[in-house]
Amino acid sequence: MTKRGRLTTHVLDTASGRPAAGLKIALYRVSGNSHRLVKTVETNADGRCDAPLLEGAEFRTGQYELIFFAGDYMRASGAALPDPAFLDQVPIRFGMAEETHYHVPLLISPYGYSTYRGS
């Protein structure tokens, strides 16, 4: 049996204390200066994606970038943002060196964000 990894994420809105529902996320595979769009998804009511971003045969080790469309989400949720917004698109570039579970969560507010490798 071949071992396969998976990639998941979720987003929490720390300003409202709720999951960030309806936030668009784009996943890119990065190679040098080249970015290849793998998929675009949107978070559900729990701030999670309905399925892993990558799993099974789709999963490959390497360098990736998640772009979280935080500005669009915050404007849609009624946040008063300046023009331009301090945080609009939040990129997180990371590497996956093993075929295991990688979880890349995002905690956002209009003026800050945090991420970590979750479980």
Side-chain angles (χ1 to χ4, degrees):
M1 181 174 177
T2 305
K3 185 176 176 184
R4 298 286 182 184
R6 68 186 169 121
L7 171 64
T8 58
T9 188
H10 76 275
V11 186
L12 300 175
D13 179 340
T14 58
S16 70
R18 298 189 304 249
L23 190 142
K24 179 181 163 187
I25 304 167
L27 172 66
Y28 291 87
R29 181 159 172 89
V30 179
S31 179
N33 290 325
S34 172
H35 288 65
R36 183 181 57 82
L37 180 64
V38 176
K39 68 173 55 173
T40 303
V41 297
E42 190 172 292
T43 57
N44 61 24
D46 195 34
R48 299 178 184 276
C49 301
D50 289 330
L53 296 168
L54 296 173
E55 71 176 334
E58 289 184 316
F59 184 92
R60 291 189 346 203
T61 58
Q63 192 171 41
Y64 290 84
E65 187 166 275
L66 287 167
I67 306 287
F68 295 87
F69 292 81
D72 292 345
Y73 158 78
M74 287 184 261
R75 281 187 282 280
S77 67
L81 301 177
D83 187 19
F86 180 71
L87 293 177
D88 190 23
Q89 295 180 12
V90 176
I92 300 174
R93 187 174 292 187
F94 58 97
M96 298 190 300
E98 302 172 60
E99 291 191 1
T100 188
H101 181 199
Y102 287 83
H103 184 66
V104 183
L106 180 69
L107 308 174
I108 61 165
S109 75
Y111 295 96
Y113 69 91
S114 178
T115 190
Y116 55 94
R117 182 175 174 188
S119 59

